[in-house]
Amino acid sequence: MITTTGGPQPADFADVRATNLAVVLRYLRVNAPCSRAEIAAATGLNKATVSSLVADLIDRRLVRETGLTERRIGRPATMLVIDGSPYAAIGLEINADYLTAVAIDLGGERLLSWRRSFAGLSSTPGQAAAAVAALAKRAVGRVAKEGRQTLGVTIAVPGLVDGEGVVRLAPNLRWHDVDLRSALRSALGNPSFPVSVDNDANLAVLAEQRYGGYATTNNLIYLTGEVGIGAGIISDGRLLRGERGYAGEFGHLLIDPTGPVCGCGRRGCLEALAGISALIARAMPDSTHDGTLTDLEPEVDEVVRRAKGKDPAVLAALEGVGRDLGHGIATVANLINPEVVILGGYFVRLAPWLLPPAQAELTLRSVAPDEGGTRIVASMLDHGAAATGGAAQVLDTIDSGILPTP
Amino acid sequence: MITTTGGPQPADFADVRATNLAVVLRYLRVNAPCSRAEIAAATGLNKATVSSLVADLIDRRLVRETGLTERRIGRPATMLVIDGSPYAAIGLEINADYLTAVAIDLGGERLLSWRRSFAGLSSTPGQAAAAVAALAKRAVGRVAKEGRQTLGVTIAVPGLVDGEGVVRLAPNLRWHDVDLRSALRSALGNPSFPVSVDNDANLAVLAEQRYGGYATTNNLIYLTGEVGIGAGIISDGRLLRGERGYAGEFGHLLIDPTGPVCGCGRRGCLEALAGISALIARAMPDSTHDGTLTDLEPEVDEVVRRAKGKDPAVLAALEGVGRDLGHGIATVANLINPEVVILGGYFVRLAPWLLPPAQAELTLRSVAPDEGGTRIVASMLDHGAAATGGAAQVLDTIDSGILPTP
C-alpha cells in the first residue's frame, strides 16, 4: 500500500506488488473460496499478475488450493482459500482488574480466548510484565502445539504508549515510564517475531473495524468501558494517533468542575463520573469495594440484577452516568463527526440503561443537524476487544502485503 | 496518488502516472529551477519516465524550460521551473463582518488580496451570495486581463458545509440550509471551472500546511479567531472531515455552564466567551457595539491599544479569554494530540496577551506528559487564511496529478 504522509512518494515496483498482494488477500478474505479468474475479474488485475501473486501467497502458506470446482461454462477451476493453519497472531490486554489473551489465525478463527483476574492497582510494573509474559508464553506454546508459527504478539495497555512501546502514563495502573516492550521481549527470550505495545482503545477500535459490527464504517470511535474510559478513533478509515501517539484521552474530559477527584489527580473528569468503578459507586453506594478490586465483574452483575429489578436508585445512577457519557460523546462528536460511537467493555452489558440518556444528551449538545449522523451503539465484541485488536494489528501487517518469510 | 479508503485498491497505470506527476510537481515546487536529471536522481524515477512526465507538464503549461545552465560536469542541462503565468486559483471567504478574495498562481505568487467590510448578520443569504459572486467575478476578470485561465473558485464559510456545497448551518450568519454553491454557479454564469464551498477553518488549515510556518507539520489545528471559533484539523497529514464533513466544531465546546448565551442557542460555549465579539465585550464593556457590526477591526485596534497601555481591565479580560481558549485547546489536544495549535484571524494581533494564559491552561489540563508535545502559536498568515486556503484547495487538485486540459 502506498502511503503518502508528507506528500506523494514515487510508485515503484515493490510498492505496487505489495499493494496488489494486499488487494488479493483482502479479496480472498471476504470472498473465498474463489478462482484466480474471479480474482482477476473482480480486482481488475490481469490474469498473469494474479497467478504470480497467488503463487507467492501459496509459497508462504497464506493461501491454499482446494481442488477443482465444476463451473457452468468452461474448464473446471482450481479454487483458493485463505490457509488458516500455519500461523497465529496473539493479542493480550492488561487492565486494572484483568488480563486477557487471544489468538487468531489468518482465516479469522479465534484459536483461544483466556481471561484472568489481575490486581492491576496493587501490582508493580515488573509483576504485571511477568504475569503478561507468562500468559503470552502459554499462548505461544499452545499455538505451537498445533504446529502454528506465531506471527507476532501485541499487548494492549490502558494508557499512553509511545512509539517505542514505553508506557508513559497509565493512571489506573499507577504506571509512569514503564518500558513494557523491552521487559516482555526479554521475558519471552527475545523471540524472532515482533512484540508490540499499544493503547487498549486504539487496538479495540481496530478489532471493531476488522471483526465487529462496523467493518464497513470509515468513521468510528470505540470507548473502553473499564475503570478508565479511553477512545480509539478511526477517521476516514485510518487510526488517528496524533503527533506522539497520545490521541484518544477521552476519560479526562472535564464534565463537572465540582465532581469527584479522578485517578489523574484532576477533579470532575468523565471517568471519575462514568468509569466502571465510579459507576458502581454511584449505583451502589452501599457497596464496600476499596479501590483495589481484582475483578469488577461480580459488582457489574449486581448492578445489572438491580437494574432489571427496577431498583430506583440504580436506575437513577445509570441515567446520570448515561448523561455524563453523552456529554463527553457530544464533545468528541462535535470535533470529529464520527458515524458510530461504540460503547465497549463493561458498558456493553449496561447499554440498555446507558444508551437512551446518552443519545438524548448527544442530541441536546450536537451542533450539527441530526447529530451529524452520529449514533451511539453497544459493541458486539466482548471484553476481549483490545486483545483481539492486538492480534488484528499483527494480521494487518500481512494484509498490507508485507508477507512472513516462508 | 493511490488512496486506500475502505481498503487497498489495485495500482493501475493511470494511478501510477498521476502519483508520479504529483511527485514531479511537488519536487519542482520546492526545488526549482532544476534539471530532469536532478528530478530523476532525487525521486528515484527513471530518466525516461521523468522526460515523459515533464513533457506532459510542459504541454499543459504547468512547467516551462528556462534555457541551459552550465554544470561543473557533463553537458549543460535544460532547467525547469513551475510556470506561474497561465493559470490562477481563486479563493473567497464570507464572514460575519467581512468578505475576502485571494488569487494565487501555480508558483505560489499571490496575484490579488482584497478585503471588504460586509454586514453578514443583517444580510440575507441571497444578498451574501450576490456580494460574493460580484467579488468572484471581479477576481476572475482581473486574472483574465493578465491572460490567466481560472482553475477554480472555492468559497470559505464559517459553518457546516455538506458535500454538495450546501451550508447546513452557520450560526454567526444565521443561515440554515443555504445552497450557496448552486447560487454562486448560477450568478457566475455556470462557468466551466469548478466552484466549491467549504468550511473556513478547514480551508485555513490547508493554507497553513501549504504556505504557513508549519508546512512540514503533520498534526496541526488552526483556530479561526472571528466572531465564531472553528477548528481545521490536519491529522497525519490529512484534513479530518468526519462522516458528513462536520468535524471541527470547536467553538461550541461547553466551557462554563453559567456563561453567556451563544449564537447557537446554548449557554457557555467557548465562542460565547472567547469569540472576537465576546472578547471585545469582555475587554471593553463600555463599548457600544450592537451585535450587527460590519467591521470589528477598529474595535480590535482599540483593544490592542489599551492592552499596550497596560489597561488593567483589558489585560484581565485578555487573560480570562486566554484561559478559556486554553481550556478548549486542552480538550482537543487530549483527544487529537496535535503538534501545533495555530491561533488565526483576529487572535493573531492579540496573541502576545492570549498565548501565555492559554499555554498555562493547556499545561494544567493536559493528560500527556509535556503536553503531548503540543504548542500553541500565532498564525503567520493574515485574515486571508481561509480565502488563501480556498485557492490552495484548487491548486491541491493539480498537485495530486489531476492536470487541467491543455
Side-chain angles (χ1 to χ4, degrees), chain A residues 1 3 18-19 21-23 25-26 29 62 88-90 104-108 151-154 194 196 198 202-211 215 234 237-239 241 385-404, chain B residues 6-8:
Chain A
M1 171 165 72
T3 56
T19 301
L21 282 166
V23 168
L25 270 174
R26 184 175 282 255
R29 182 147 67 80
L62 297 165
I90 294 175
I104 299 179
D105 73 16
L106 269 179
L151 289 167
V153 171
T154 297
S196 311
D198 208 333
N202 286 350
L203 292 172
V205 79
L206 290 177
E208 284 291 346
Q209 193 186 34
R210 194 176 176 111
Y211 300 116
I234 286 179
R238 296 194 319 177
L239 187 62
R241 289 190 174 275
T388 300
Q393 193 184 52
V394 172
L395 296 173
D396 277 348
T397 309
I398 310 291
D399 267 10
S400 69
I402 300 165
L403 306 188

Side-chain angles (χ1 to χ4, degrees), chain A residues 259-317:
Chain A
V261 173
C262 179
C264 75
R266 296 176 191 80
R267 190 174 279 283
C269 294
L270 178 60
E271 69 185 45
L273 290 156
I276 202 68
S277 288
L279 183 151
I280 291 167
R282 280 172 82 168
M284 306 192 297
D286 54 328
S287 155
T288 56
H289 81 70
D290 62 354
T292 58
L293 281 175
T294 57
D295 197 344
L296 297 169
E297 245 180 349
E299 313 258 335
V300 174
D301 288 344
E302 179 61 18
V303 173
V304 169
R305 200 189 61 77
R306 293 190 194 180
K308 283 185 176 162
K310 304 203 190 306
D311 178 326
V314 169
L315 291 178

Side-chain angles (χ1 to χ4, degrees), chain B residues 10 16 27 47 58 87 100 123 136-137 198 205 247 274 276 282 288 296 300 330 354 369:
Chain B
V16 170
Y27 184 80
K47 288 184 190 177
I58 290 176
Y87 301 104
T100 56
S123 302
K137 265 188 204 166
D198 207 333
V205 79
I276 202 67
R282 281 172 82 166
T288 55
L296 297 169
V300 174
L354 297 176

Side-chain angles (χ1 to χ4, degrees), chain A residues 1-11 16 19-20 22-23 26 43-45 160 168-169 171 177 217-219 231 233 235-250 252-255 257 264 266 327 331-339 363-374 399, chain B residues 1-11 16 19-20 22-23 26 43-45 160 168-169 171 177 217-219 231 233 235-250 252-255 257 264 266 327 331-339 363-374 399:
Chain A
M1 171 165 72
I2 299 172
T3 56
T4 56
T5 304
Q9 305 294 317
V16 170
T19 301
N20 291 340
V23 168
R26 184 175 282 255
T43 62
L45 294 166
L160 302 170
R168 297 298 310 278
L169 181 67
D177 295 321
T217 311
N218 274 325
N219 292 286
I233 302 166
S235 173
D236 206 6
R238 296 194 319 177
L239 187 62
L240 190 156
R241 289 190 174 275
E243 181 63 16
R244 295 194 180 169
Y246 300 154
E249 282 306 303
F250 180 73
H252 304 285
L253 287 178
L254 175 63
I255 299 294
C264 75
R266 296 176 191 80
H327 180 167
T331 300
V332 73
N334 283 333
L335 289 170
I336 295 176
N337 188 207
E339 182 181 353
T363 300
L364 198 68
R365 295 178 185 271
S366 276
V367 176
D370 308 324
E371 297 87 66
T374 303
D399 267 10
Chain B
M1 170 166 71
I2 299 170
T3 55
T4 55
T5 305
Q9 305 296 315
V16 170
T19 300
N20 291 340
V23 168
R26 183 174 283 253
T43 61
L45 295 166
L160 302 170
R168 296 298 310 277
L169 180 67
D177 296 321
T217 311
N218 273 325
N219 292 285
I233 302 166
S235 173
D236 206 5
R238 295 194 321 176
L239 186 63
L240 190 156
R241 289 190 174 275
E243 181 64 15
R244 294 194 182 171
Y246 300 154
E249 283 307 303
F250 180 73
H252 304 285
L253 287 177
L254 174 64
I255 299 294
C264 74
R266 296 175 192 80
H327 180 166
T331 301
V332 72
N334 283 334
L335 289 170
I336 296 176
N337 188 209
E339 182 181 352
T363 300
L364 197 69
R365 295 178 185 272
S366 277
V367 177
D370 308 323
E371 298 87 66
T374 302
D399 267 10

Side-chain angles (χ1 to χ4, degrees), chain B residues 372-399:
Chain B
T374 302
R375 290 173 297 131
I376 312 175
V377 299
S379 176
M380 290 179 238
L381 300 173
D382 62 13
H383 269 283
T388 300
Q393 193 184 53
V394 172
L395 296 173
D396 276 348
T397 310
I398 310 292
D399 267 10

Side-chain angles (χ1 to χ4, degrees), chain B residues 58-368:
Chain B
I58 290 176
D59 264 7
R60 286 169 165 92
R61 301 183 60 200
L62 297 165
V63 166
R64 64 186 169 81
E65 298 182 333
T66 59
L68 300 179
T69 293
E70 198 68 45
R71 294 190 301 176
R72 269 175 295 179
I73 299 164
R75 288 185 303 157
T78 304
M79 301 305 274
L80 302 166
V81 293
I82 297 281
D83 188 356
S85 64
Y87 301 104
I90 295 176
L92 297 111
E93 182 184 0
I94 307 181
N95 220 305
D97 60 323
Y98 64 84
L99 303 176
T100 56
V102 165
I104 299 178
D105 74 15
L106 268 180
E109 199 185 330
R110 190 141 77 165
L111 305 170
L112 63 86
S113 176
W114 296 334
R115 183 186 164 104
R116 303 273 177 275
S117 291
F118 174 67
L121 263 181
S122 54
S123 302
T124 66
Q127 289 168 330
V132 174
L135 201 60
K137 265 188 204 166
R138 285 197 48 206
V140 171
R142 171 71 67 91
V143 301
K145 266 194 199 152
E146 296 175 7
R148 291 172 190 277
Q149 183 184 331
T150 294
L151 289 168
V153 171
T154 297
I155 297 94
V157 178
L160 302 170
V161 183
D162 73 13
E164 305 303 311
V166 176
V167 182
R168 296 298 310 277
L169 180 67
N172 296 314
L173 297 172
R174 295 186 190 149
W175 288 8
H176 269 281
D177 296 321
V178 174
D179 186 356
L180 185 62
R181 184 165 73 180
S182 296
L184 286 170
R185 278 194 52 75
S186 132
L188 291 169
N190 296 308
S192 57
F193 53 75
V195 175
S196 310
V197 179
D198 207 333
N199 173 270
D200 58 347
N202 286 350
L203 293 172
V205 79
L206 289 177
E208 284 291 346
Q209 193 185 34
R210 194 174 177 113
Y211 301 116
Y214 305 95
T216 59
T217 311
N218 273 325
N219 292 285
L220 66 163
I221 297 178
Y222 178 97
L223 301 182
T224 65
E226 311 295 342
V227 173
I229 310 177
I233 302 166
I234 286 180
S235 173
D236 206 5
R238 295 194 321 176
L239 186 63
L240 190 156
R241 289 190 174 275
E243 181 64 15
R244 294 194 182 171
Y246 300 154
E249 283 307 303
F250 180 73
H252 304 285
L253 287 177
L254 174 64
I255 299 294
D256 178 3
T258 64
V261 173
C262 180
C264 74
R266 296 175 192 80
R267 190 174 279 282
C269 293
L270 178 60
E271 68 184 45
L273 291 155
I276 202 67
S277 288
L279 182 151
I280 291 167
R282 281 172 82 166
M284 306 192 298
D286 53 328
S287 155
T288 55
H289 82 69
D290 61 355
T292 57
L293 282 175
T294 56
D295 197 344
L296 297 169
E297 243 177 354
E299 314 258 334
V300 174
D301 288 344
E302 180 60 19
V303 172
V304 169
R305 200 187 62 77
R306 293 190 194 182
K308 283 185 176 163
K310 303 204 188 305
D311 179 324
V314 169
L315 291 178
L318 289 174
E319 164 98 17
V321 169
R323 276 204 307 271
D324 289 338
L325 267 179
H327 180 166
I329 289 169
T331 301
V332 72
N334 283 334
L335 289 170
I336 296 176
N337 188 209
E339 182 181 352
V340 285
V341 176
I342 302 169
L343 301 188
Y346 289 112
F347 289 154
V348 176
R349 296 184 54 209
L350 299 164
W353 299 279
L354 297 176
L355 285 176
Q359 187 70 48
E361 199 72 13
L362 172 63
T363 300
L364 197 69
R365 295 178 185 272
S366 277
V367 177

